[in-house]
Amino acid sequence: MENVRSLINILDLSVEEIDGMVALATKMLADPAAYAHKCNGKILATLFFEPSTRTRLSFESAMLSLGGQVLGFSEASSSSAAKGESVADTVRTVSCYSDIIAMRHPKEGAPLVASQHSLVPVINAGDGGHNHPTQTLTDLLTIHHEKGRFDNLTVGFCGDLKFGRTVHSLISAMSRYTGTKIVLVSPEELKLPSYVKKEVLQKNGIPYEQTTDLESVMPELDILYMTRVQRERFFNEEDYLRLKDSYILTPDKLHNAKADLSILHPLPRVNEISVAVDQDPRAAYFRQVRYGRYIRMALIMKLLGIA
Ligand code: CP
């Protein structure tokens, strides 16, 4: 719809807009009470056609923290999608009941279709193996707080780089900063899709290397972004079982890592980071979870025209 600003892809936001949201979220972290009534009378709808803990609950927490209210569903089976209703009709309906919508869907492109039929802003809360822009905003706020900058960082992505939508979105976001280097660590079958390599890395002249060996590249990394193998995107269980434990980060594998490495993970974790790593001060993934609430507060305010 015209004059309604949605967020479907992280590149829908300029670098300057992201900087502004990071600054706003940082102020909110310091003084949440100052923002407790910014969204009084506003309603967020969360339409989750796929499971979620962090994204749905952090969106709900964000809107409640701003003084707004929330409604929605957490599984397709409890909505009229189970009777065959289209995404377009569902969103057209829900946009009559709410001021802003966060939507997760297993089909790539579904939130884009939704945004074309909604009367209110639609936020892509994850679409299939495609994109997850609000996880990327969370990752960027984490990087800003952990490293103090976005430029001149070597970022290693490890695990399922084929189906990991958070990886695709963060690579797009980091490709806009000066001095970014990308290191891709995955099994052969789970390599980064060639469209991301061509349209993002090669198009923007971002230096990158690909390897199957995490320990050999560990000393280079400023950020290690671990990911789980995405069981729900596999066509057969045998392949998942063969690949699921390709990488398990343990304290001994960090022996040659930088002292100021930051270890990120969008979570949920399955087996790819040993719980023993949680004690390492470089493990930033639970701090990352906390940042997700504040950056979503900033995003809600921005798309509602309050920020
Ligand atoms: N990171 C993330 O999207 O987590 P959830 O699937 O729990 O929302």
Side-chain angles (χ1 to χ4, degrees):
M1 293 283 169
E2 278 175 35
N3 302 322
V4 173
R5 180 107 192 254
S6 290
L7 175 64
I8 304 302
N9 184 306
I10 191 65
L11 299 181
D12 294 343
L13 294 166
S14 68
V15 168
E16 292 72 26
E17 285 177 312
I18 289 174
D19 286 346
M21 288 169 53
V22 165
L24 178 58
T26 301
K27 283 193 218 162
M28 289 168 159
L29 274 154
D31 185 11
Y35 300 86
H37 300 289
K38 292 283 185 190
C39 286
N40 280 0
K42 300 290 185 190
I43 296 174
L44 165 78
T46 51
L47 310 187
F48 276 62
F49 296 84
E50 259 195 349
S52 168
T53 295
R54 275 145 294 272
T55 310
R56 185 172 65 84
L57 295 181
S58 66
F59 262 118
E60 296 191 359
S61 173
M63 190 47 136
L64 295 171
S65 301
L66 292 166
Q69 293 176 288
V70 297
L71 52 80
F73 53 81
S74 57
E75 50 187 43
S77 61
S78 64
S79 77
S80 285
K83 301 174 200 163
E85 186 169 53
S86 68
V87 162
D89 286 1
T90 299
V91 161
R92 204 166 183 152
T93 300
V94 175
S95 68
C96 297
Y97 308 149
S98 59
D99 299 289
I100 188 164
I101 293 172
M103 179 182 169
R104 172 171 289 186
H105 201 285
K107 281 198 185 142
E108 299 172 357
L112 175 62
V113 171
S115 70
Q116 291 161 348
H117 294 85
S118 177
L119 303 169
V120 302
V122 173
I123 300 168
N124 178 3
D127 62 328
H130 200 207
N131 279 309
H132 193 347
T134 67
Q135 180 61 49
T136 303
L137 290 173
T138 302
D139 302 339
L140 291 173
L141 182 61
T142 308
I143 290 169
H144 179 80
H145 278 256
E146 296 289 318
K147 312 305 292 182
R149 67 186 197 280
F150 292 128
D151 290 335
N152 300 313
L153 291 171
T154 298
V155 187
F157 292 88
C158 178
D160 184 349
L161 310 190
K162 179 180 180 184
F163 296 118
R165 57 193 174 198
T166 64
V167 171
H168 308 158
S169 289
L170 185 55
I171 287 176
S172 290
M174 292 306 297
S175 73
R176 297 195 288 190
Y177 297 108
T178 307
T180 295
K181 289 185 194 157
I182 300 290
V183 180
L184 304 167
V185 185
S186 73
E188 281 297 319
E189 291 103 316
L190 298 178
K191 281 163 83 171
L192 190 73
S194 53
Y195 82 88
V196 183
K197 270 183 247 166
K198 276 192 203 133
E199 291 170 24
V200 182
L201 295 175
Q202 290 163 11
K203 192 172 160 189
N204 291 297
I206 305 296
Y208 70 94
E209 58 180 292
Q210 294 186 97
T211 178
T212 55
D213 181 5
L214 176 59
E215 281 174 88
S216 69
V217 293
M218 190 70 88
E220 300 172 36
L221 306 180
D222 298 304
I223 294 167
L224 171 58
Y225 195 92
M226 293 296 296
T227 62
R228 86 187 153 92
V229 175
Q230 306 261 309
R231 181 181 208 157
E232 64 274 32
R233 314 259 177 248
F234 274 73
F235 291 112
N236 71 70
E237 184 74 359
E238 250 174 50
D239 286 348
Y240 169 73
L241 293 174
R242 184 167 50 79
L243 293 167
K244 73 183 175 69
D245 290 331
S246 298
Y247 301 96
I248 301 175
L249 187 66
T250 51
D252 57 299
K253 290 188 181 138
L254 289 163
H255 70 94
N256 59 353
K258 287 185 180 173
D260 66 347
L261 172 74
S262 293
I263 305 166
L264 274 62
H265 190 311
L267 304 181
R269 155 174 64 182
V270 182
N271 202 29
E272 58 281 353
I273 301 181
S274 149
V275 292
V277 175
D278 298 359
Q279 311 308 319
D280 190 310
R282 294 171 291 187
Y285 31 92
F286 287 110
R287 297 193 287 278
Q288 190 179 356
V289 168
R290 179 165 176 259
Y291 293 131
R293 174 182 174 192
Y294 292 92
I295 199 71
R296 289 182 174 99
M297 287 167 71
L299 176 65
I300 289 169
M301 283 179 57
K302 179 167 186 60
L303 294 183
L304 288 178
I306 296 167

